[in-house]
Amino acid sequence: MHTFEFIRPENPAAAVATSAKAKTAQQGADVRFVAGGTTLIDLMKLNVETPARLLDINRLPLDKIEATPDGGLKIGATVRNSDLAHHATVQRDYAVLSQALLSGATAQLRNMATTAGNLLQRTRCMYFRDTAMPCNKREPGTGCPAITGSNRTLAVLGTSEHCIASNPSDMCVAMAALEATIHVQGPKGPRAIPIGDFHLLPGSTPHRETLLEPGDLITHVTLPPPKPGSKQVYLKLRDRASYEFALASAAVVITISGGKVTQARIALGGVGTKPWRSPEAEAALVGKSADAANFRKAGEAAMRNAKPQSGNGFKIELAKRCVTHALKMATTA
Ligand SMILES: Cc1cc2nc3c(=O)[nH]c(=O)nc-3n(C[C@H](O)[C@H](O)[C@H](O)COP(=O)(O)OP(=O)(O)OC[C@H]3O[C@@H](n4cnc5c(N)ncnc54)[C@H](O)[C@@H]3O)c2cc1C
Ligand code: SF4
């Protein structure tokens, strides 16, 4: 691993001021915040990330889970994934988030991984992690070997001719269905970004993954008040039952009255280049009977624009079934 300077900023303002000197907050950043380190240190060992400065944010006061005045929830950036998953309010009102977090990684990793770090985890595309290979996301303009190579685990939604990497997060999928907002402190002050806008599609710039700019420190995430009477499920389908990323996953938050769906929020994981909210699936459900045939139609609507690669066409049917089954589980639970 290359050498770097390790800094412990006194407060969030000092962390922002130091990181604002970086050239970019995207791939190739020369200054990085480090939280749990479970993504960043891995990538530094592989020389995929080579920051000259690491700013340890673990002592900053960003580790609380608190109720908001409007009845929602505020989750600090350094709240550990395990603490969030086991928090009583999250288990009661935002069960889909607790389930998504507990489906990820292992207990040891969840004890280290943080809310902000999870939002910013990088793709598991094998070419991205191998500096002997070209990769547009790691080194812009070098090409995308995954398109003609190994792409079984990669995306079928939101891809471009420059990158087909899937976003690996489970937490973000649940947060997309819960309509979370990401709060950032930057050199010009604070701002709030809806999670649907936070991650970028690869387009012709796959090295740009989020809206973050140099100096931007994620301080917390807020969730709106829970929908009264909503049913929630996170279903993750993968090659083995634990310690594995999703091939396809679905987060559903659904409300039913008189046998009809009155509200539905559906997001998918494992299949998109970003955590994938599906307005198509939601529109296919609202106002319809809550039955198996309509659940299947929602799954089909979610994957209508999917584009298979040579090795991942199976994900399209898998994701349809995942949405269908998650809706069945939510409505029969
Ligand atoms: C073996 C393994 C298996 C895994 N399996 C899964 C899985 O099944 N599902 C899943 O969802 N995840 C999985 N993960 C990923 C894991 O969830 C992430 O590594 C973790 O959430 C990252 O959090 P962290 O705090 O360790 O981030 P770090 O590694 O500390 O940071 C990650 C990135 O976020 C940036 N960052 C951190 N905090 C802030 C902040 N406050 N503001 C701005 N930038 C910040 C860092 O600079 C860095 O770029 C797995 C990881 C491993 C190693
Ligand atoms: S899919 Fe994206 S991350 Fe993977 S090799 Fe292609 S450009 Fe790189």
Side-chain angles (χ1 to χ4, degrees):
M1 191 155 58
H2 70 290
T3 56
F4 55 87
E5 188 184 2
F6 190 77
I7 301 166
R8 286 213 168 98
E10 293 288 315
N11 51 52
V16 170
T18 307
S19 67
K21 294 178 189 137
K23 290 188 196 74
T24 176
Q26 304 294 326
Q27 176 61 24
D30 44 335
V31 184
R32 282 281 188 215
F33 301 120
V34 62
T38 61
T39 286
L40 184 60
I41 304 299
D42 260 13
L43 293 175
M44 287 172 66
K45 288 183 192 161
L46 295 169
N47 286 321
V48 172
E49 294 257 23
T50 54
R53 289 172 152 200
L54 276 196
L55 306 185
D56 179 0
I57 59 168
N58 286 291
R59 292 185 188 177
L60 301 184
L62 303 172
D63 61 347
K64 300 277 184 305
I65 304 175
E66 298 162 297
T68 57
D70 68 350
L73 201 65
K74 176 179 174 186
I75 304 160
T78 58
V79 169
R80 305 289 152 178
N81 285 180
S82 45
D83 292 336
L84 184 57
H86 294 294
H87 193 273
T89 306
V90 175
Q91 290 187 329
R92 186 190 63 218
D93 295 337
Y94 306 100
V96 66
L97 178 58
S98 177
Q99 292 166 22
L101 285 161
L102 293 175
S103 77
T106 59
Q108 292 87 343
L109 281 158
R110 294 193 294 268
N111 285 342
M112 292 300 293
T114 62
T115 308
N118 199 323
L119 281 165
L120 294 171
Q121 66 174 287
R122 314 294 304 276
T123 184
R124 310 306 287 196
C125 174
M126 60 188 270
Y127 304 104
F128 173 71
R129 297 170 68 86
D130 181 351
T131 54
M133 298 299 293
C135 167
N136 284 330
K137 188 183 276 299
R138 182 169 28 78
E139 283 184 58
T142 54
C144 175
I147 290 175
T148 50
S150 175
N151 52 44
R152 180 176 177 274
T153 61
L154 301 186
V156 292
L157 288 166
T159 56
S160 75
E161 61 181 307
H162 302 283
C163 182
I164 58 169
S166 46
N167 183 294
S169 174
D170 293 298
M171 182 196 81
C172 292
V173 180
M175 285 191 173
L178 291 169
E179 299 184 317
T181 301
I182 319 299
H183 297 262
V184 172
Q185 178 74 39
K188 293 181 193 152
R191 61 192 201 280
I193 308 168
I195 191 166
D197 299 336
F198 182 77
H199 298 95
L200 303 176
L201 292 173
S204 59
T205 53
H207 58 288
R208 282 197 65 81
E209 295 181 345
T210 65
L211 286 181
L212 294 185
E213 297 291 345
D216 282 345
L217 172 73
I218 298 174
T219 52
H220 60 284
V221 173
T222 50
L223 301 178
K227 300 273 181 211
S230 69
K231 311 273 190 190
Q232 307 181 11
V233 160
Y234 186 74
L235 177 62
K236 176 173 177 178
L237 305 180
R238 45 189 157 169
D239 281 329
R240 57 183 176 192
S242 85
Y243 205 19
E244 187 55 278
F245 293 90
L247 288 168
S249 70
V252 305
V253 179
I254 182 168
T255 315
I256 295 169
S257 177
K260 292 222 184 323
V261 178
T262 53
Q263 282 185 321
R265 281 172 290 164
I266 298 178
L268 291 91
V271 288
T273 51
K274 58 185 261 185
W276 200 264
R277 176 102 181 252
S278 178
E280 297 90 349
E282 295 168 8
L285 276 178
V286 173
K288 306 280 166 39
S289 302
D291 59 38
N294 285 328
F295 295 163
R296 172 72 194 185
K297 282 183 190 158
E300 285 170 0
M303 301 311 290
R304 196 177 293 138
N305 298 318
K307 182 170 178 260
Q309 304 294 330
S310 55
N312 67 2
F314 74 98
K315 280 193 172 192
I316 297 177
E317 179 59 26
L318 191 69
K320 289 179 187 173
R321 293 185 190 192
C322 189
V323 170
T324 308
H325 198 62
L327 287 164
K328 277 187 201 161
M329 287 168 70
T331 51
T332 53

